[in-house]
Every structure is written in structure tokens, then in C-alpha cells.
Amino acid sequence: MYAEERQQAIVDEVRVAGRASVAALAEKFDVTSETVRRDLAVLERTGHLQRVHGGAVRAEVMRVVGELGIDERESSQVEQKAAIGRAAVRFLPPEGGSVLFDAGTTTYRAAEATITYRAAEPTGRDHDLTIITNSLPIAGLLAGRPRTGLHALGGRVRGLTQATVGADTVAAVTRLRVSTAFIGTNGLSEAHGLSTPDPAEAAVKTAMVAAARQVVVLADSSKMQREDLLSFAGIDDVDVLITDDRIDPAFSAALSARGIEVVIA
């Protein structure tokens, strides 16, 4: 079967069933998983389907769903996000310093874990930590915590994500130089880098990545090999990716080969 014939058959399969997995397609057409992924990439670029973790769905399915609000995202991948948050604390500055927390449900879990981690710190490591965030939920969580200097970034509040955005927010971030930035993303791929659907949030995220000496991306495996509307950073801007064990091993290896430390929570 020629590639064009196989790709048309994949389109037909997804159109009828609504979705298809990489594994099932590879078995059906007697090709490798990597061949299927290349087919799906071609078909996504031509608008025939939308890739998701582990396979593809009809393009119109993703358009109807659109960007989920914070309440809906909070209820998805709960265990994975909690584990990612706990793993993130190892990348806090060891002797105090400054940390940027991007808005998002996974970064919120990292902020929760930071509270527990610092409460359990051994004697002699009682250092102050400066935390800056554009997330209203994270600011509320950390307000008044001992040994934490909290700075909430001002700006227009985007209700869907409860993040401050806009020119004032970006300007404030560009004046910063922090030890570590914990960044969330809607999509992560080698070609498109880190991506998100909203231009205002993309601008803030770009500024955060530029402001940090170390960029730690917190993203569950459903975000892997996925591309959203706007790229806000290149894959080579990432120092560390913390994700879960459902990440495609080949994709994990490809990221490691580009110098990214991949941590499985």
C-alpha cells in the first residue's frame, strides 16, 4: 500500500470512528508506530484530523471542545498532576532565591508541594524564597506563608484561566531575572515547541521563559506531541520537563537527545 492510500484509509477510519490509536493503526496497516505518527502529522497539517496523545481524533472534535476552563482542567489527569507537582520541588533554588510560577492547574500542584516541602526542610536550611506569579489561585494559596516573599503580577485577569495577562504583566516580567520558572503548556512538540491557544497568555509565558535561568516545564503526557495555536518558546529553551510515565518513550528519548532533562514523576 502506498503512503497516500494508507493516509486516506486513516482519514476514513477516524471519520467513521471519531478517533484511532497509533497502536491500532500500526497493526491494521502492518507498519511501525513511527510511520503512523508521520502519517498523522501529514494529515493534521492538511486539516484532516487532530493528533492527540496516542492517536488522533476528527478535527471538528477538537474545535468543538476548544480551550477548557480551569475548573474542567482541574478534574483531568489529577494523579499525574499531583505527582508532577511533588517532583517539581527538587528544582527549587537550594539556598533561597526567586521562582516564577506560571498560571495553570499543574503549576498550582507544584505550589502546593512547595508549601509541604518547605515545612519539612531540615534545620539550617531556613532560607527565604521569593515567589512571583500571574496566577490568582497560586497567589491566594501562598499568601501569608512564612519565609515566602510573594509578588502577584498585575494586569487584566483572564477569567478562563484566572491568570493576569496584558502589556502590564509582560512589562513586569521582562524586568525580572529569576532562578527558576515553572511553566505550564497546552502543547509540546519538537517542531512547534511550547504552545498555547491564547495570544495574551502566550506573551506572558514568552517573557517568563526569557526571565529565568532555569526553565522547568510541568506538563502531563496528554500535552506531549501536541501543537496548539501559538508557539511561545522553542523546545531548546527548556532545561527540564517533568511529566508522567505515559509519555511516548521515543519522544522522551528525542527530548533527552536535545539536552532536556526528562523527569518521570
Side-chain angles (χ1 to χ4, degrees):
M1 179 181 285
Y2 292 110
E4 292 80 4
E5 294 175 305
R6 186 178 60 249
Q7 289 165 10
Q8 183 57 57
I10 290 173
V11 170
D12 293 340
E13 175 113 350
V14 172
R15 184 179 295 123
V16 171
R19 62 179 60 244
S21 72
V22 169
L25 292 170
E27 182 177 357
K28 179 172 183 176
F29 297 110
D30 192 24
V31 294
T32 66
S33 296
E34 187 56 39
T35 296
V36 171
R37 291 190 186 93
R38 285 196 294 268
D39 287 340
L40 296 182
V42 170
L43 294 170
E44 184 179 50
R45 286 196 296 270
T46 54
H48 287 95
L49 50 75
Q50 171 70 54
R51 284 187 296 169
V52 296
H53 178 65
V57 297
R58 288 195 301 261
E60 60 267 25
V61 172
M62 297 302 293
R63 286 196 293 268
V64 169
V65 171
E67 186 182 6
L68 298 178
I70 194 168
D71 292 336
E72 295 168 290
R73 289 188 289 121
E74 182 67 35
S75 62
S76 70
Q77 308 285 330
V78 175
E79 293 182 7
Q80 290 89 343
K81 290 176 181 179
I84 291 167
R86 291 191 296 270
V89 299
R90 105 179 216 210
F91 296 97
L92 290 169
E95 300 300 333
S98 51
V99 180
L100 264 171
F101 276 91
D102 185 17
T105 52
T106 310
T107 50
Y108 182 89
R109 294 303 183 191
E112 283 185 324
T114 297
I115 295 172
T116 304
Y117 173 79
R118 284 174 60 74
E121 281 186 322
T123 303
R125 293 191 60 191
D126 190 21
H127 52 264
D128 292 337
L129 185 67
T130 299
I131 292 178
I132 307 105
T133 186
N134 70 324
S135 164
L136 297 187
I138 291 176
L141 175 71
L142 297 177
R145 295 289 173 178
R147 298 181 293 115
T148 299
L150 176 66
H151 298 263
L153 295 166
R156 173 177 63 85
V157 177
R158 187 169 182 248
L160 193 66
T161 57
Q162 296 180 33
T164 55
V165 297
D168 291 340
T169 314
V170 172
V173 177
T174 56
R175 292 193 292 270
L176 299 173
R177 188 63 171 161
V178 301
S179 304
T180 302
F182 291 121
I183 303 294
T185 186
N186 295 73
L188 189 157
S189 74
E190 286 194 88
H192 200 49
L194 309 179
S195 56
T196 195
D198 183 71
E201 290 214 34
V204 175
K205 290 173 182 287
T206 296
M208 286 183 168
V209 168
R213 296 184 180 90
Q214 177 178 235
V215 175
V216 181
V217 175
L218 310 181
D220 66 76
S221 56
S222 70
K223 311 300 195 309
M224 301 300 109
Q225 301 182 81
R226 179 183 178 125
E227 297 176 352
D228 223 309
L229 180 64
L230 296 163
S231 174
F232 63 85
I235 199 72
D236 294 326
D237 292 319
V238 179
D239 297 300
V240 181
L241 167 66
I242 306 179
T243 188
D244 60 75
D245 60 7
R246 297 179 185 175
I247 186 174
D248 181 346
F251 184 57
S252 178
L255 296 178
S256 296
R258 296 186 67 155
I260 298 171
E261 181 179 354
V262 179
V263 177
I264 306 301

